[in-house]
């Protein structure tokens, strides 16, 4: 059987209990270019300055390399001819992001032609080696060594004159500056998202539920705006692998599932039962088939909805993808029900940022305690569950055909971020983002995910503001507060982005 997401029982939670973890997919490595800028006239005037500032660039490169990226060092540009020589090299390197190291003052001729002709994000990095000048012993040489921010206004102004946006920038000190290192890491993660979006293969089976008009997407436009490719698949491709599964593989998968999930007795919902052996058997068999399907099709994600004929093997398989899809989502292959390609991409973005990304929508409001239940039926990102996730047998999937195992949990308590990718009247995409808190408390025992989501200033005001932005009713739910990072990704993709 595939080892895409082999379960390991070695990760302690905050209460020192051993929880199963999922073996992640092998991560791809984004390519980041680094070039420095300086002023050629300084080198003959100030002996040793050139060597000093090039040593600064080596420190930056070491900081970037800590973030599991490939760094290409393009040296320094110190006059206009160097910029023209560097431009084709930057283009040929197929980069995902560029750090321009502001080593000292530099004329904007070292930058203008580059920012005009480069389509990948450029971040200006101004990390001063000394936290402050030794004023009593200061010199022009020492000032130039610390002149990292000096040309930032000039570079920003020239970017605008070249018809481009002002680049993002990191400002701080070269040493002992955790804040700037966090910013470097953030941009490396953004590069990871952009890198993977360009080459992602997102599978699509079936169609959105017909009545959900907000779900429909144009696969060509998804390629146009995100770079990824939609792989149109057929239900029978999974069904055939289901029919070929070996008994030994299914038995191993059943053990893996029981290690990972709790299977408690039913509580208050009459359509839920303790996990039945027959439902576990089907879930395990489908999970094995699904992993082989993902490998065969070389997929990075899947959006699906397919009903199949009543009492058919196709219906049994296609309505029981939930457990296998949840395990795959946790392993880095986002799987989205109701054939919502846009939400699958939102989950993909969150996954590559390392913040989870679970399939979600709004459930009932608790007006007494001022929170919203946020969750969904179907597949979820179980790596961001609070405690051990639960499997229940469901006599029916509400609003859909079929029956079988359902996944139930809530998102880890603490800060959360939501991303809805919606479409506008003009046919463009839009990111709608919000931050909130996952708060402690019970959730309905319905075999579905639910998280107690608290959003400022209060539930009524937040919902009105969220809905006013025209989101889809689905969104990706991740852990931590990352609205600004996701907003930058939207801006780099030239997608309208709002934070509610």
């Amino acid at each position: 059987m595939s080892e895409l997401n082999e379960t390991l029982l070695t990760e302690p939670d905050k209460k020192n209990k051993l929880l199963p973890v999922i073996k992640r997919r092998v991560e791809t490595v984004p390519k980041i270019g680094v070039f420095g800028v300086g002023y050629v006239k300084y080198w003959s005037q100030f002996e040793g300055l050139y060597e000093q500032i090039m040593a600064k660039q080596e420190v930056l490169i070491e900081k970037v390399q800590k973030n599991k990226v490939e760094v290409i060092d393009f040296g320094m540009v110190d006059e206009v001819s160097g910029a023209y020589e560097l431009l084709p090299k930057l283009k040929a390197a197929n980069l995902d992001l560029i750090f321009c190291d502001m080593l000292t003052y530099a004329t904007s001729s070292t930058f203008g032609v580059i920012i005009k002709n480069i389509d990948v994000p450029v971040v200006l990095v101004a990390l001063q080696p000394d936290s402050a000048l030794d004023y009593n012993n200061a010199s022009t040489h020492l000032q130039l060594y610390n002149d990292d921010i000096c040309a930032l206004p000039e570079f920003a102004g020239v970017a605008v004159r070249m018809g481009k946006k002002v680049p993002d920038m990191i400002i701080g000190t070269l040493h002992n500056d955790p804040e700037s290192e966090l910013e470097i890491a953030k941009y490396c993660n953004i590069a990871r998202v952009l890198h993977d979006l360009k080459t992602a293969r997102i599978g699509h089976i079936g169609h959105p539920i017909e009545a959900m008009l907000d779900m429909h997407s144009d696969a060509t436009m998804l390629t146009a705006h995100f770079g990824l490719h939609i792989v149109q698949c057929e239900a029978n491709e999974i069904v055939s692998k289901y029919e070929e599964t070996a008994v030994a593989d299914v038995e191993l998968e059943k053990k893996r599932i029981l290690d990972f999930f709790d299977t408690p007795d039913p509580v208050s919902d009459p359509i839920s039962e303790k996990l039945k052996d027959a439902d576990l058997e089907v879930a395990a068999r489908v999970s094995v088939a699904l992993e082989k399907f993902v490998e065969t099709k070389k997929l990075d994600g899947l959006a699906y909805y397919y009903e199949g004929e009543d009492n058919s093997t196709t219906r049994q398989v296609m309505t029981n993808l939930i457990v296998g899809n949840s395990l795959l989502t946790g392993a880095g292959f986002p799987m989205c029900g109701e054939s919502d390609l846009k939400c699958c991409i939102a989950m993909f973005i969150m996954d590559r940022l390392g913040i989870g990304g679970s399939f979600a929508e709004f459930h009932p409001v608790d007006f007494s305690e001022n929170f919203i239940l946020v969750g969904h039926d179907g597949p979820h990102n179980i790596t961001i569950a609070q405690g051990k996730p639960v499997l229940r047998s469901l006599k029916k999937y509400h609003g859909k055909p079929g029956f079988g195992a359902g996944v139930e949990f809530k998102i880890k308590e603490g800060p959360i971020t939501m991303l809805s990718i919606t479409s506008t009247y003009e046919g463009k995409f839009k990111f709608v983002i919000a931050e909130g808190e996952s708060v402690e408390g019970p959730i309905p025992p319905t075999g579905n995910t639910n998280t107690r989501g608290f959003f400022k200033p209060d539930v009524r005001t937040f919902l009105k503001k969220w809905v006013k932005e025209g989101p889809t009713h689905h969104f990706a739910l991740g852990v931590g507060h990352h609205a600004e990072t996701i907003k930058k990704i939207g801006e780099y993709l030239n997608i309208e982005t709002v934070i509610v």
Side-chain angles (χ1 to χ4, degrees):
M1 193 180 74
S2 165
E3 294 182 352
L4 284 174
N5 50 0
E6 175 190 348
T7 306
L8 306 173
L9 299 174
T10 54
E11 185 172 281
D13 70 0
K14 292 179 181 178
K15 297 178 182 178
N16 296 317
K17 296 178 182 177
L18 287 179
L19 294 179
V21 296
I22 291 179
K23 183 178 179 180
R24 290 278 300 171
R25 55 180 281 279
V26 176
E27 291 190 353
T28 53
V29 179
K31 294 174 71 173
I32 294 181
V34 177
F35 74 92
V37 289
Y39 194 23
V40 66
K41 294 186 178 180
Y42 291 157
W43 318 142
S44 60
Q45 292 180 320
F46 300 94
E47 185 179 354
L49 179 61
Y50 177 86
E51 290 75 17
Q52 284 180 299
I53 67 170
M54 291 309 293
K56 287 164 57 177
Q57 186 159 315
E58 287 300 318
V59 175
L60 173 63
I61 289 171
E62 289 173 6
K63 290 177 183 289
V64 177
Q65 286 174 329
K66 292 177 182 177
N67 295 284
K68 297 180 181 178
V69 299
E70 178 185 350
V71 179
I72 302 176
D73 180 5
F74 291 95
M76 183 175 63
V77 178
D78 57 7
E79 56 185 333
V80 65
S81 60
Y84 280 90
E85 291 170 4
L86 176 59
L87 180 60
K89 297 176 185 177
L90 292 173
K91 289 185 172 183
N94 190 28
L95 301 169
D96 300 299
L97 186 136
I98 297 169
F99 286 125
C100 173
D101 195 2
M102 312 293 289
L103 294 167
T104 183
Y105 171 73
T107 62
S108 49
S109 66
T110 60
F111 180 70
V113 69
I114 292 173
I115 195 65
K116 172 180 169 56
N117 291 287
I118 286 292
D119 293 326
V120 302
V122 177
V123 180
L124 305 179
V125 183
L127 298 182
Q128 186 173 302
D130 300 325
S131 59
L133 291 179
D134 178 358
Y135 301 110
N136 292 328
N137 297 293
S139 64
T140 303
H141 185 122
L142 190 62
Q143 176 181 315
L144 297 178
Y145 179 56
N146 285 277
D147 248 347
D148 301 77
I149 66 127
C150 186
L152 285 176
E154 183 175 339
F155 278 39
V158 166
V160 172
R161 295 194 71 182
M162 293 292 168
K164 296 297 186 83
K165 296 176 182 177
V166 174
D168 288 336
M169 57 200 81
I170 299 173
I171 299 174
T173 59
L174 192 61
H175 308 289
N176 304 316
D177 187 355
E179 185 175 343
S180 67
E181 294 199 13
L182 284 174
E183 285 198 79
I184 290 169
K186 177 180 73 175
Y187 283 105
C188 288
N189 279 335
I190 289 172
R192 200 177 320 279
V193 173
L194 298 175
H195 175 89
D196 283 11
L197 280 174
K198 287 190 296 188
T199 57
R201 289 169 54 85
I202 306 297
H204 184 224
I205 295 180
H207 55 82
I209 296 179
E210 182 183 351
M212 295 181 181
L213 300 184
D214 60 333
M215 293 298 95
H216 297 264
S217 299
D218 180 334
T220 303
M221 294 308 293
L222 291 171
T223 300
H225 289 273
F226 295 98
L228 51 79
H229 178 63
I230 304 301
V231 184
Q232 301 293 354
C233 306
E234 300 293 336
N236 66 279
E237 294 178 279
I238 298 179
V239 174
S240 63
K241 296 197 180 298
Y242 174 84
E243 292 172 336
E244 297 166 0
T245 52
V247 173
D249 287 346
V250 175
E251 290 303 312
L252 283 174
E253 190 71 352
K254 285 163 67 174
K255 182 182 184 305
R256 188 166 80 101
I257 290 169
L258 291 176
D259 282 340
F260 198 91
F261 293 91
D262 274 338
T263 57
D265 291 328
V267 186
S268 58
D269 191 344
I271 73 167
S272 74
E273 303 175 286
K274 186 175 178 64
L275 181 66
K276 298 191 298 186
D277 290 342
D279 290 341
L280 174 62
E281 176 80 19
V282 172
R285 193 173 170 188
V286 172
S287 182
V288 172
L290 187 60
E291 285 200 7
K292 292 180 178 178
F293 164 75
V294 167
E295 282 188 308
T296 300
K297 302 293 288 188
K298 297 181 171 60
L299 299 182
D300 299 297
L302 176 71
Y304 71 96
Y305 182 78
Y306 195 91
E307 296 187 356
E309 187 179 359
D310 194 18
N311 296 319
S312 66
T313 302
T314 297
R315 173 165 291 186
Q316 184 179 48
V317 172
M318 296 308 296
T319 59
N320 276 278
L321 299 178
I322 293 170
V323 177
N325 276 355
S326 295
L327 292 168
L328 278 168
T329 297
F333 301 83
M335 305 281 168
C336 193
E338 298 182 3
S339 206
D340 191 345
L341 283 164
K342 297 191 295 295
C343 191
C344 188
I345 294 167
M347 293 164 65
F348 183 96
I349 289 170
M350 285 194 169
D351 176 86
R352 297 311 191 259
L353 285 176
I355 62 174
S358 201
F359 188 33
E361 66 184 4
F362 290 130
H363 287 169
V365 173
D366 188 316
F367 289 102
S368 299
E369 297 186 39
N370 193 37
F371 66 81
I372 315 167
L373 286 171
V374 186
H376 208 288
D377 61 340
H380 303 285
N381 194 320
I382 48 183
T383 61
I384 56 173
Q386 180 75 32
K388 204 170 184 180
V390 164
L391 278 188
R392 300 186 190 276
S393 281
L394 300 178
K395 299 175 184 178
K396 63 184 77 173
Y397 297 133
H398 66 276
K400 305 180 183 72
F403 58 88
V407 174
E408 175 185 307
F409 67 85
K410 62 180 177 179
I411 301 297
K412 289 177 180 177
E413 292 162 8
I416 54 175
T417 300
M418 309 190 314
L419 168 61
S420 171
I421 301 179
T422 187
S423 299
T424 68
Y425 177 74
E426 295 79 15
K428 297 180 180 180
F429 295 107
K430 178 180 178 180
F431 284 9
V432 184
I433 310 165
E435 295 176 338
E437 299 288 327
S438 170
V439 297
E440 185 180 5
I443 60 172
T446 57
N448 300 163
T449 64
N450 270 295
T451 290
R452 291 174 160 229
F454 173 76
F455 301 95
K456 294 180 179 180
D458 60 79
V459 65
R460 300 172 195 256
T461 304
F462 169 74
L463 278 173
K464 288 178 181 178
K465 288 184 175 181
W466 176 265
V467 175
K468 280 281 189 181
E469 295 298 338
T472 61
H473 74 281
H474 293 156
F475 49 85
L477 185 63
V479 294
H481 282 165
H482 302 279
E484 289 295 336
T485 300
I486 296 172
K487 183 179 180 183
K488 288 187 183 299
I489 292 169
E491 291 170 350
Y492 289 149
L493 294 169
N494 294 314
I495 291 174
E496 179 186 358
T497 303
V498 294
I499 298 176
V500 175

